[in-house]
Amino acid sequence: MKADLETKINQMGEKWSGQLRKLITPKTLAAFTTVIYVCSLIPLLWIAWYNYPSADDYSIGSNCHQAWMATHNVFAVIWQGVVRAADDWVNWMGYFTSNFLMAVPPSTFGERWYVLTTWIMLGMLSFSVMYLFHAIFVKAFKADRLISHSVAMLVLFASVQCMCPVGRCEAFYWYSGAANYIFVHSMSLFFFGLLVSSVYDTGKKRVWDLSAACVLGFLTGGGNQMSALNAAIILLMAVVLISVCKKWNVCRALGIPIAIFYVGFLLNVAAPGNWVRAEGANGMNPIKAVLVSFYDCLDRAMSEWTTWPVILIMIALIPLFWHMAEKVSFRFPCPLIVLLFGYCLTSAMITPPVFAVGNMEAGRLQALTYLMYILILSLCVGYVTGWVRQKWTGGQNKTAAESLSGFSAESCWCLVGCIVFLVLGSVLTVIPEPHYYTFSSACTDLLNGSAATYGDALKERMEIYRSGGEGIIEVEPLPAQPVLLYFSDIKEDPEDWENKGLSRYYGFEGVVVRKK
């Protein structure tokens, strides 16, 4: 009787495993992960309709807006952005790429264009991660493009939806912060992807890769100093590895975009404006800043970034990386050194703000570091998985024909288990904590009406601003502050820097918020 029962259970298990293997294929998984990720973005894009400029969007973007209002000439706007970036390079900050981007917010051409902020940032982040992973996994390691796409979707879900709440507004809804950090970070990922692609592409495609890499390399070097420093470290390590492995005959062309990147990077760090800004900042000495960065990275990784959804997503990546490693001949040497390098690279992201201002409190800084952490963590999971598979199989990987059978039963059950636990856990978590995920936060503020109330109030203000008037203009306090949309507001003091920036943007004498 017992043997019969075990036989039936085994037969049932084999039947279910067979059904799962038919259901979960690289194609269906790529489609499923894409639908989930895209659907999770809908509330984020929907709530962006109620988004309006604030703070530096006015103070930094005033010159370009005035140029557009006076001429309605795009080239005049671009020129004012260049002038602003050059002036800041001399008198305030060296990241000329970021300064130009911040000087030309979408609201330059009208306040309602500001809704494009979220579309631009999410689009840049999504496509840059997809492109980088395609270059690494498909072009370099010859992995299945559908599985590579699934990996990208899972990593993007963790990056966008599981981001720490304090960074979401400044990462996707406040243009000045997002352009400086998220947009430049995405440019750097495209830059790395182009470098990898140029090694494996041929003919005109390789010429395009190298040409685009030269442009993006210079712009990345001139971007925010967190991304620029990380790129400098990665490229330096790449040069060392290429030299040690004596692969310059294959990678010789990479020298041009790498050199151009360092030109931009040196212009960034050597700018006179950096010293001007440093005079008013309370930074740390370099050695202390590095040590604090290592501690802060470990502390945030353990207490804030590695949440239970992130852990589940990383577990779900393991069978995908295991499958991708089937045809890879690379031996994945020294996994501990790779993990240590990943930790150092994430820590290096923290060093510039700690050195410059002594802290990492700004939400945009935390958001950028989190994005780099998730990216590096996923790549480290892939590297260690590849190393384990090489040790497990003794380096005897399947041929292309043998790999057509799809995922193993164990991989399918692992993926199903992660999906089930993620769904059930999310339901139990979102009920008491509606702002736990980025999409649940957007849904919450859309459903409770705070987003619409906030947007309507700012729309009324815009009508007052455009109508102009004499003397100091008074506006009503904001009746709501939705979590994703609200960054900052003008004050009751007309001499506050935000009030003065808004006044300069619209060209009137002054503005204040009416006292409650």
Side-chain angles (χ1 to χ4, degrees):
M1 180 68 71
K2 184 177 180 181
D4 292 340
L5 181 60
E6 290 179 355
T7 301
K8 290 182 179 180
I9 292 175
N10 289 334
Q11 291 175 346
M12 186 177 297
E14 291 177 0
K15 181 180 177 181
W16 277 102
S17 296
Q19 293 296 327
L20 274 180
R21 294 192 67 188
K22 291 180 181 179
L23 178 64
I24 302 178
T25 64
K27 185 175 182 179
T28 58
L29 185 64
F32 175 76
T33 54
T34 301
V35 169
I36 293 300
Y37 177 62
V38 171
C39 288
S40 75
L41 296 182
I42 292 175
L44 279 63
L45 299 173
W46 189 349
I47 199 173
W49 177 254
Y50 302 106
N51 198 21
Y52 283 88
S54 63
D56 288 336
D57 296 323
Y58 290 120
S59 59
I60 297 179
S62 59
N63 291 347
C64 288
H65 177 69
Q66 293 294 339
W68 174 254
M69 295 302 294
T71 66
H72 281 77
N73 187 315
V74 174
F75 294 104
V77 172
I78 294 174
W79 174 247
Q80 284 300 318
V82 172
V83 171
R84 175 64 193 241
D87 181 71
D88 282 347
W89 188 83
V90 174
N91 298 305
W92 183 241
M93 202 66 195
Y95 40 57
F96 51 88
T97 301
S98 295
N99 287 332
F100 172 79
L101 292 172
M102 289 188 291
V104 194
S107 52
T108 296
F109 311 102
E111 294 89 355
R112 292 314 299 140
W113 288 102
Y114 197 75
V115 301
L116 293 179
T117 296
T118 307
W119 290 79
I120 293 170
M121 300 311 158
L122 288 175
M124 278 292 291
L125 179 63
S126 300
F127 287 112
S128 63
V129 170
M130 291 165 60
Y131 183 77
L132 177 63
F133 281 10
H134 181 82
I136 294 174
F137 300 138
V138 179
K139 292 188 176 182
F141 288 101
K142 312 302 179 186
D144 187 301
R145 64 180 182 83
L146 292 173
I147 299 180
S148 172
H149 181 80
S150 298
V151 170
M153 292 298 101
L154 290 173
V155 171
L156 283 168
F157 185 90
S159 299
V160 175
Q161 303 301 343
C162 303
M163 179 180 285
C164 43
V166 70
R168 295 167 182 168
C169 173
E170 297 177 44
F172 303 123
Y173 294 92
W174 183 50
Y175 177 82
S176 288
N180 188 5
Y181 294 98
I182 307 305
F183 194 92
V184 172
H185 169 73
S186 302
M187 283 200 313
S188 72
L189 301 188
F190 275 122
F191 172 55
F192 293 135
L194 287 166
L195 291 180
V196 175
S197 296
S198 67
V199 177
Y200 299 94
D201 289 338
T202 57
K204 293 183 178 179
K205 200 168 185 181
R206 191 182 192 202
V207 173
W208 156 254
D209 293 337
L210 292 170
S211 301
C214 289
V215 175
L216 283 181
F218 182 75
L219 295 177
T220 299
N224 76 79
Q225 292 168 353
M226 297 167 71
S227 297
L229 176 61
N230 262 37
I233 295 171
I234 293 171
L235 293 178
L236 178 61
M237 181 59 65
V239 170
V240 170
L241 291 176
I242 292 171
S243 301
V244 170
C245 299
K246 299 179 181 179
K247 295 291 186 180
W248 278 114
N249 58 325
V250 179
C251 305
R252 187 182 296 112
L254 296 182
I256 299 174
I258 290 176
I260 292 176
F261 163 82
Y262 278 109
V263 171
F265 181 64
L266 291 175
L267 286 173
N268 187 343
V269 298
N274 292 333
W275 302 103
V276 176
R277 188 178 185 184
E279 292 176 358
N282 298 316
M284 299 182 182
N285 68 70
I287 296 177
K288 183 178 180 181
V290 171
L291 295 176
V292 169
S293 299
F294 279 115
Y295 166 76
D296 201 28
C297 177
L298 181 62
D299 180 57
R300 292 180 186 276
M302 299 299 292
S303 61
E304 298 178 22
W305 297 338
T306 316
T307 57
W308 68 264
V310 169
I311 293 174
L312 278 178
I313 290 172
M314 293 302 142
I315 293 174
L317 290 178
I318 293 174
L320 304 186
F321 285 127
W322 185 273
H323 188 81
M324 284 199 294
E326 286 178 348
K327 296 177 289 184
V328 175
S329 58
F330 185 68
R331 298 301 181 186
F332 301 96
C334 309
L336 291 179
I337 294 178
V338 171
L339 293 176
L340 179 61
F341 178 71
Y343 169 59
C344 292
L345 198 60
T346 309
S347 300
M349 182 71 80
I350 299 174
T351 304
V354 172
F355 170 71
V357 297
N359 64 73
M360 267 277 295
E361 298 304 317
R364 53 196 176 275
L365 306 182
Q366 296 184 41
L368 177 60
T369 312
Y370 171 79
L371 291 177
M372 180 59 73
Y373 170 73
I374 293 297
L375 181 66
I376 292 175
L377 179 62
S378 61
L379 292 175
C380 286
V381 168
Y383 194 94
V384 172
T385 302
W387 176 79
V388 170
R389 184 181 178 90
Q390 290 284 356
K391 294 297 181 182
W392 189 283
T393 62
Q396 299 298 317
N397 293 314
K398 294 182 180 180
T399 65
E402 292 173 327
S403 299
L404 293 176
S405 58
F407 298 113
S408 65
E410 293 80 5
S411 296
C412 292
W413 282 111
C414 178
L415 290 170
V416 169
C418 289
I419 293 171
V420 170
F421 277 109
L422 185 60
V423 171
L424 294 179
S426 297
V427 171
L428 294 175
T429 303
V430 168
I431 292 174
E433 296 184 55
H435 295 281
Y436 188 81
Y437 292 108
T438 310
F439 75 85
S440 66
S441 182
C443 290
T444 299
D445 285 334
L446 284 169
L447 292 174
N448 64 24
S450 64
T453 302
Y454 172 83
D456 291 342
L458 284 174
K459 184 179 180 181
E460 291 179 6
R461 283 189 182 184
M462 300 304 154
E463 294 174 356
I464 295 173
Y465 298 154
R466 286 192 295 268
S467 64
E470 297 181 357
I472 304 295
I473 296 175
E474 286 190 344
V475 295
E476 297 293 334
L478 293 176
Q481 296 180 0
V483 175
L484 283 182
L485 301 182
Y486 178 81
F487 170 68
S488 184
D489 192 24
I490 55 175
K491 311 298 187 296
E492 297 176 357
D493 179 11
E495 295 302 312
D496 182 83
W497 71 271
E498 291 188 55
N499 297 52
K500 294 174 70 173
L502 179 63
S503 302
R504 186 167 61 253
Y505 189 90
Y506 285 101
F508 45 66
E509 182 179 342
V511 61
V512 296
V513 174
R514 186 172 287 114
K515 294 183 179 181
K516 297 180 181 179

